Amino acid sequence: MSFRMRQFITRNQTLLLRLACAAGGLMIFARLLFDGWRDGGLFGGPVNPRVHRTEEMLAWMAYLALALALAVFLYRNRKLLPSNWVVGAFGVALVAEILGHMARSRSFGEVPLVVVNLLQIFGAAAAALTALGLPVYFRGIQRLARLASKRAASEARLAATTESSLDAIFMFESVRDATGELLDFRFTFINRNAETMIGQPRERLLGARLGELFPNVYQDGRMAQLRSVVETGRPLVVETTASTLRSKGVPAFCRIHAVKLEDGVAVSAANLSELKQANQEMKRALAFNKAIVSSSPFSIIVADLDGTITAVNPAAARMLWYGAEELIGNNIALLHDQQEIARRARTLSQELMRPVSANSDVFRQKALLGLTDENEWSYIRKDGSRLLVQLIVSAVEDETGAVIGLMGIAHDLSERKQLSDSIYHRAHHDPLTGLPSRSLLRDRMEVAIERGKRFQSLFSVLMIDLDNFKRVNDSLGHQAGDAILVEVANRLRSCLRKVDTIARYGGDEFVVLLTELRSRSHAETVGRKIIAALAAPIVVGNHEIAVTASIGLSMFPDSIEPDELLRHADVAMYRSKALGRNSLAVFTPGLGRELMDKLKLESALRTALDRDEFYLVYQPQVSLKTGQLTGVEALIRWKSPALGLVMPGDFIPVAEETGLIVSIGEWALRTACDQIAQLQLDLRRRLNVAVNLSPRQVHQKDFQTMIESALLESGLPANSLEVELTEHLLMRDSEESLEIIERVQALGVKVAIDDFGTGFSNMSYITRFRIDRLKIDQSFVSRCVDDQNSLAVTTAIIALAHSLRIDVVAEGVETPAQAAVLRDLRCDFAQGYLYARPLSLEGLRAMASETTKQSVLESI
């Protein structure tokens, strides 16, 4: 019989038994009917021989079916059924009945009557004995039925369990040869997970041989292991990579458990691939963490909750100068100053509102609350020296989250503190002189103000500005200027006490904070002492430089805010400069009013351009040879509704300081170009216009573009425009200034130097720049008649300019005598009150028309 047939019978034995019993019962019932028919008692009449043979055949089939059913039932449950004598009696009765039937039907020919009677007696006796044992046997059958029911339920539960199991479950029966040697195993059961892992359907596997489907079980030793389980009965438990089972497309790592099952084996395989991968990743993570801890530059110390050190990393041993074995087993309090621990205990007691002991308990408290404790501590090394560290203490937890220890991570703060001190010093001190910077000065001023308010004490602020220091940088270079600043700083230190502060405020400005003054006069005394200390020349290379300073002084409590004290000292310092420099000025309310006036002017100036409060007037320029009007200088005026008429000398310095001069200067240039271009059209004659430009305006990136735009929009010819620059602009950034002048002259615009001769430099720069005109300052012109020195300077300027083919314009000509001297010196042009005061556009139009008519008449 094939495996599949036996498996079918085993699985469906109950169904087959029921069918056999039903068939046997049906045949017996048919036999009774035919017996009644044959005897004539049921239907009467003779029996057809064919019907009789059919009845005989059906009867035999009924007996055989019933006998087969009973045989199968009794054999399968032979160990469970009691009273085997009842079964034997029933079997005798059944056999006697069959033989009696055959004798009566003459199936064996003529049978003696005695034999027939004996068969009936044996059958009756056996039937009686069976009837007597049925009650006992019935109870056994009931018990068997209950056991069958339980067995069916257990099988159902087993099937559900195996199907839902995460393990792959296989059952095999042994395949042996004729001699009984175990050759292979045949699949008899697999669950769903096994079907998935093996990658083949159950229909193909059930009944198939393991070795035929998977020959590699011979090579990897798996067949030998299963054979050993069957032959020895010892279970097999092994963790290995199963070549026949797959997990995510690769051979699965499994825990295989095999046990003997009758003449076969049951195998369960738990897929450990993901667990193995997780373990490998955990091992790698642990190794990685261990490597990090070992190579970490930070000290790492692990202790239990009692503070006993259980582990240290190499950095901790190096930092503390201990060996690791010397630290392990000691309490972490060994590494700390007891006074620091006591202070920390008091702080934690207040913070946590419960007593904290002055021992290792200070490190444990926050960790038990799930908090990280970070503070600066002093570690005590093996030799007793101290090391400032930043210590972070956190909890060490087990897998349940319970705190089982402490971990302290510390890093050395000594280098960082040194670096921090260095950074702080650099941030709060001037790198050149080493003096405090503005930020540190302000901090100390705020402290002085608080002390002054508390103790009603006096202190003073001195603003010190070196006079004409820019000339030193421009003539001797910035290195010489730096050397002077360093020497000035040293001299200032020599004049002050240690409680005083001297700061470099910026450039060539210094601020002195004098605290704990006995009187106001004490501050003035120190100020004069500083002026005297700076009076001695400073030697720089081969030069002796005389340095003077203008000092402004403000007092507390006259001024009570840092910014106010500095501002008032600055106002007083500017007053010192106005008084002739190299002096000390004390801030007074009068100076404060001047400051307020300046602020008021600045505020009005910021909106003046938008409100169209500026206008231009024109100073005529005439030829000293012909007396004819040749051009004009555009001069700006400001008429403020609040301040009235404000002259350029009052608002131009404020505009320069605030940067408003750029927009104001652009307005003046564009307006002058527009008005003079229109005047040229009206008069039908050429008229040049000169416009003063601020150095800040000239150094704007779009300066050339602005001039081009003004000429293009107004229509003024480029050679009718002249821009006036100062000597200071040419001396500062001379290379950049030269480039600017060349770009302007490339447009056809003329360039003039205003106030020539007043700059602090030699005049060699004039040979480097292609200048069109020089304007002699009126300070020389006004004294050229009576002062031989002024006459000599004026003569030299004119001669120098003519030798360089540069025209000369004299400013501020007010008398005929001045005009005559200038004419004799061959000066080219002049302007001043002798010819006309600054004119409005209409006045200029009238003057130009008049001079044009006069020129026409003279030509006639």
Side-chain angles (χ1 to χ4, degrees), residues 3 11 16 23 225 236 261 270 340 364 371 410 414 453 487 551 575 587 614 617 641 836 847:
F3 168 78
R11 290 182 177 179
L16 293 174
Q225 290 175 335
L236 169 69
L261 183 65
E340 287 187 358
R364 180 174 59 240
L371 302 175
S414 56
K453 290 179 179 178
E487 177 61 22
I551 302 178
R575 171 49 62 93
F587 178 80
F614 293 107
V617 295
M847 179 180 178

Side-chain angles (χ1 to χ4, degrees), residues 734-796:
S734 58
E735 296 300 328
E736 182 180 355
S737 300
L738 177 60
E739 184 180 350
I740 293 172
I741 290 176
E742 289 177 348
R743 290 202 305 265
V744 170
Q745 288 179 328
L747 300 175
V749 177
K750 296 182 176 64
V751 177
I753 303 301
D754 194 16
D755 301 331
F756 184 78
T758 61
F760 177 75
S761 72
N762 58 47
M763 294 186 292
S764 62
Y765 75 87
I766 199 67
T767 62
R768 300 183 57 212
F769 296 92
R770 188 166 57 87
I771 305 301
D772 298 295
R773 283 191 183 188
L774 292 181
K775 299 188 74 173
I776 304 176
D777 187 70
Q778 63 179 351
S779 61
F780 300 113
V781 174
S782 62
R783 298 193 300 269
C784 68
V785 176
D786 303 320
D787 182 29
Q788 291 300 316
N789 291 332
S790 296
L791 178 61
V793 170
T794 303
T795 303

Side-chain angles (χ1 to χ4, degrees), residues 491-560:
R491 293 187 184 186
L492 291 175
R493 288 191 186 97
S494 67
C495 298
L496 302 176
R497 305 163 298 172
K498 290 185 177 180
V499 296
D500 300 326
T501 298
I502 173 173
R504 185 181 177 193
Y505 201 64
D508 58 345
E509 286 187 328
F510 298 85
V511 174
V512 172
L513 175 63
L514 300 175
T515 58
E516 301 179 8
L517 296 177
R518 297 185 300 273
S519 64
R520 293 176 180 266
S521 61
H522 185 195
E524 297 181 27
T525 300
V526 174
R528 287 190 288 270
K529 183 179 178 182
I530 291 173
I531 291 176
L534 297 178
I538 298 175
V539 178
V540 179
N542 297 324
H543 301 276
E544 286 189 356
I545 308 299
V547 177
T548 62
S550 299
I551 302 178
L553 185 150
S554 63
M555 293 290 300
F556 176 90
D558 296 343
S559 306
I560 60 174

Side-chain angles (χ1 to χ4, degrees), residues 195-405:
E195 185 180 15
T196 301
M197 292 184 67
I198 209 166
Q200 295 191 28
R202 302 187 200 190
E203 292 75 11
R204 181 182 178 187
L205 295 175
L206 291 176
R209 290 189 177 187
L210 174 63
E212 292 178 352
L213 287 181
F214 306 101
N216 56 339
V217 296
Y218 292 101
Q219 286 78 23
D220 60 18
R222 200 74 65 231
M223 181 65 74
Q225 290 175 335
L226 296 179
R227 184 183 295 116
S228 175
V229 171
V230 175
E231 292 175 350
T232 64
R234 289 193 299 269
L236 169 69
V237 178
V238 63
E239 291 185 0
T240 183
T241 300
S243 58
T244 58
L245 303 179
R246 316 290 287 183
S247 176
K248 297 182 179 178
V250 297
F253 182 80
C254 301
R255 179 186 292 114
I256 297 176
H257 186 198
V259 296
K260 183 177 181 181
L261 183 65
E262 297 179 351
D263 190 25
V265 63
V267 179
S268 64
N271 186 2
L272 303 181
S273 299
E274 293 184 359
L275 180 61
K276 180 182 179 182
Q277 182 178 358
N279 288 337
Q280 290 175 343
E281 291 178 355
M282 182 177 295
K283 288 180 181 178
R284 286 194 294 268
L286 290 174
F288 180 69
N289 292 339
K290 184 177 180 180
I292 290 177
V293 171
S294 298
S295 61
S296 172
F298 302 126
S299 163
I300 301 177
I301 298 176
V302 180
D304 60 22
L305 289 179
D306 293 330
T308 302
I309 298 174
T310 59
V312 296
N313 73 334
R318 290 194 302 269
M319 180 182 289
L320 298 168
W321 299 350
Y322 281 99
E325 66 282 353
E326 295 178 285
L327 289 173
I328 295 175
N330 283 299
N331 196 278
I332 54 178
L334 170 71
L335 306 175
H336 293 273
D337 186 336
Q338 291 302 315
Q339 293 182 353
E340 287 187 358
I341 291 178
R343 286 196 297 270
R344 183 59 180 160
R346 289 193 295 270
T347 302
L348 281 175
S349 298
Q350 296 175 356
E351 183 178 342
L352 303 177
M353 297 192 307
R354 64 170 180 267
V356 177
S357 301
N359 50 34
S360 60
D361 192 36
V362 298
F363 303 103
R364 180 174 59 240
Q365 289 300 319
K366 283 198 169 182
L368 292 175
L369 297 175
L371 302 175
T372 299
D373 191 5
E374 182 174 358
N375 284 286
E376 289 187 6
W377 290 88
S378 294
Y379 266 167
I380 300 178
R381 289 168 162 159
K382 185 177 181 179
D383 67 343
S385 62
R386 292 172 178 265
L387 178 68
L388 183 65
V389 298
Q390 185 78 11
L391 178 61
I392 303 172
V393 180
S394 57
V396 177
E397 300 177 347
D398 61 12
E399 63 276 4
T400 65
V403 178
I404 59 173

Side-chain angles (χ1 to χ4, degrees), residues 25-178:
L26 181 62
M27 293 303 102
I28 293 173
F29 177 72
R31 169 66 188 278
L32 293 175
L33 291 178
F34 282 115
D35 282 349
W37 192 356
R38 182 189 60 193
D39 295 338
L42 185 61
F43 301 105
V47 178
N48 190 313
R50 183 178 297 176
V51 173
H52 177 70
R53 285 193 300 273
T54 300
E55 180 267 337
E56 287 294 329
M57 183 180 64
L58 290 176
W60 277 105
M61 290 176 62
Y63 283 128
L64 290 175
L66 183 59
L68 176 62
L70 289 175
V72 171
F73 178 77
L74 293 175
Y75 178 78
R76 297 292 295 181
N77 300 280
R78 62 185 180 278
K79 296 180 180 181
L80 301 176
L81 290 174
S83 305
N84 290 332
W85 59 269
V86 178
V87 177
F90 176 73
V92 171
L94 183 61
V95 171
E97 172 61 21
I98 293 173
L99 293 176
H101 172 73
M102 294 176 65
R104 286 192 300 271
S105 62
R106 297 181 178 84
S107 299
F108 305 111
E110 291 293 334
V111 179
L113 182 60
V114 176
V115 174
V116 174
N117 291 335
L118 286 175
L119 289 174
Q120 289 179 348
I121 292 171
F122 275 111
L129 187 60
T130 300
L132 291 175
L134 280 178
V136 177
Y137 208 73
F138 181 72
R139 287 194 297 271
I141 293 175
Q142 285 183 322
R143 183 170 61 85
L144 182 61
R146 287 193 296 270
L147 288 176
S149 177
K150 291 181 180 179
R151 182 176 179 181
S154 297
E155 290 179 352
R157 286 193 296 270
L158 178 61
T161 302
T162 55
E163 285 300 310
S164 61
S165 174
L166 296 178
D167 296 344
I169 299 176
F170 305 89
M171 293 183 185
F172 301 97
E173 68 175 6
S174 301
V175 177
R176 300 178 183 273
D177 59 10

